[in-house]
Amino acid sequence: MQIVESILSLRGQIKTWRVDGETIAFVPTMGNLHDGHISLVKKAQTLADRVVASIFVNPLQFDDKQDLAKYPRTLQADIKKLMQAGCNLLFTPDTDVMYPHGMDFHSFIHVPGMDDKLCGLERPGHFDGVATVVTKLFNMVQADVAVFGEKDYQQLLLIRKLVSDLNLPVKVVGAPTVREENGLAMSSRNQHLTEAEKQQAATLYASLNQLKQQLETGNQDPNGLLSHVHSQLTAAGFAMDYIDIRRAEDLQLANPAVDKELRLLAAGRLGNVRLIDNIACNLA
């Protein structure tokens, strides 16, 4: 696996592959990799001849400076995992490469329709930071396809809209959420949970599945269901940011009597750790 830090080196290798007629898949990450990230690399290998991954902890998408400071940096372990997974190239830019004129004077990308709901409300400015860094990385890597996890479903829809609105020549592919044995969605944040909290955290997925079952078997009282599940999660130790039923296509408020392709989403804090999860729900 080749490791590059500069845009010039990255584009030089990309150009060589292009001359050889090879296609390129891209997996952007912030590092501290787990099996969920590796599943994205494996998915990417089925979609293109070469796989490029990136590791960059993007300051623009952190609304909490303490959260940014404590985000785990595990580059050497990440390199080993990517090599074992068969990744072809790893791009590891620093802040000076990504924001050469400083972040205070940097252009931003804003994708309307995502900052006014769910995680957009709870994390002001977060999605502008995501949209900006992803646009930059897409321009740097110039891949044919990019793979993102469905665990961050709102982010996935934001990137799809970004690509559509700006006519970027990359196909965005979603990959299923990878889970622990107890159902907890894999996340770099899980390592901050105690063993007892990890067991508590599994309630998030279980509650979403309970909500899904009730909706799919004909329960027509979504507000009552949401209230019940919210109470369950609060009793399990969560300080909930939200739990909601949304249209899968755009995350607008859903009416289960009319909308059939739904997404059930939840976010909350367990101790000092913010966890998110979501699942599909089909009423057709």
Side-chain angles (χ1 to χ4, degrees), residues 195-240:
E195 288 303 316
E197 286 173 335
K198 286 180 181 177
Q199 295 307 311
Q200 287 176 271
T203 310
L204 196 62
Y205 180 55
S207 295
L208 286 173
N209 274 304
Q210 181 183 4
L211 178 60
K212 171 186 168 78
Q213 182 181 21
Q214 290 291 317
L215 289 168
E216 291 185 345
T217 54
N219 191 308
Q220 294 295 311
D221 181 19
N223 291 332
L225 289 172
L226 288 171
S227 178
H228 176 69
V229 173
H230 190 283
S231 297
Q232 276 190 327
L233 289 166
T234 300
F238 277 92
M240 295 302 297

Side-chain angles (χ1 to χ4, degrees), residues 16 28 66 76-77 87 113 166 174 210 226 230 251 259 272 276 280 283:
T16 299
Q66 290 185 343
Q76 293 307 310
C87 182
L166 299 183
Q210 181 183 4
L226 288 171
H230 190 283
L251 294 184
D259 301 308
N272 295 319
I276 63 172
L283 303 185

Side-chain angles (χ1 to χ4, degrees), residues 91-146:
F91 180 43
T92 59
D94 62 17
T95 305
D96 290 336
V97 170
M98 295 301 295
Y99 305 113
H101 304 296
M103 289 180 291
D104 292 339
F105 300 97
H106 199 280
S107 300
F108 277 82
I109 301 293
H110 174 72
V111 180
M114 286 295 167
D115 58 345
D116 61 347
K117 60 178 68 69
L118 304 172
C119 284
L121 284 176
E122 298 298 330
R123 304 184 66 186
H126 169 71
F127 284 127
D128 285 353
V130 170
T132 300
V133 77
V134 168
T135 300
K136 289 177 68 67
L137 287 168
F138 280 175
N139 285 334
M140 293 172 184
V141 178
Q142 299 176 355
D144 299 285
V145 60

Side-chain angles (χ1 to χ4, degrees), residues 42-277:
K42 296 294 188 183
K43 177 72 172 179
Q45 289 171 334
T46 70
L47 301 172
D49 300 311
R50 300 284 184 173
V51 176
V52 175
S54 66
I55 293 177
F56 176 65
V57 182
N58 177 34
L60 286 186
Q61 68 191 70
F62 284 83
D63 54 301
D64 183 341
K65 291 183 178 180
Q66 290 185 343
D67 197 21
L68 171 62
K70 71 181 182 181
Y71 193 89
R73 275 78 166 176
T74 55
L75 181 58
Q76 293 307 310
D78 294 343
I79 289 171
K80 183 177 180 180
K81 289 177 181 178
L82 289 171
M83 290 179 67
Q84 291 174 342
C87 182
N88 299 109
L89 185 147
L90 172 62
F91 180 43
T92 59
D94 62 17
T95 305
D96 290 336
V97 170
M98 295 301 295
Y99 305 113
H101 304 296
M103 289 180 291
D104 292 339
F105 300 97
H106 199 280
S107 300
F108 277 82
I109 301 293
H110 174 72
V111 180
M114 286 295 167
D115 58 345
D116 61 347
K117 60 178 68 69
L118 304 172
C119 284
L121 284 176
E122 298 298 330
R123 304 184 66 186
H126 169 71
F127 284 127
D128 285 353
V130 170
T132 300
V133 77
V134 168
T135 300
K136 289 177 68 67
L137 287 168
F138 280 175
N139 285 334
M140 293 172 184
V141 178
Q142 299 176 355
D144 299 285
V145 60
V147 184
F148 293 84
E150 289 185 356
K151 182 181 78 70
D152 298 288
Y153 189 76
Q154 190 171 4
Q155 173 180 278
L156 174 62
L157 292 195
L158 173 126
I159 292 166
R160 284 178 171 160
K161 180 169 171 47
L162 165 74
V163 165
S164 176
D165 287 352
L166 299 183
N167 305 109
L168 300 179
V170 58
K171 180 181 179 181
V172 176
V173 174
T177 302
V178 178
R179 300 184 179 277
E180 307 285 356
E181 289 185 7
N182 66 0
L184 174 64
M186 287 191 177
S187 169
S188 297
R189 298 177 185 272
N190 291 354
Q191 63 191 285
H192 299 302
L193 298 169
T194 67
E195 288 303 316
E197 286 173 335
K198 286 180 181 177
Q199 295 307 311
Q200 287 176 271
T203 310
L204 196 62
Y205 180 55
S207 295
L208 286 173
N209 274 304
Q210 181 183 4
L211 178 60
K212 171 186 168 78
Q213 182 181 21
Q214 290 291 317
L215 289 168
E216 291 185 345
T217 54
N219 191 308
Q220 294 295 311
D221 181 19
N223 291 332
L225 289 172
L226 288 171
S227 178
H228 176 69
V229 173
H230 190 283
S231 297
Q232 276 190 327
L233 289 166
T234 300
F238 277 92
M240 295 302 297
D241 288 342
Y242 62 80
I243 181 163
D244 216 338
I245 303 166
R246 297 279 176 153
R247 290 197 318 221
E249 63 187 75
D250 56 11
L251 294 184
Q252 293 300 316
L253 288 171
N255 179 355
V258 176
D259 301 308
K260 301 306 177 186
E261 295 290 333
L262 309 177
R263 206 79 187 185
L264 315 181
L265 307 100
R269 293 186 179 273
L270 194 60
N272 295 319
V273 183
R274 186 176 188 271
L275 300 173
I276 63 172
D277 205 348

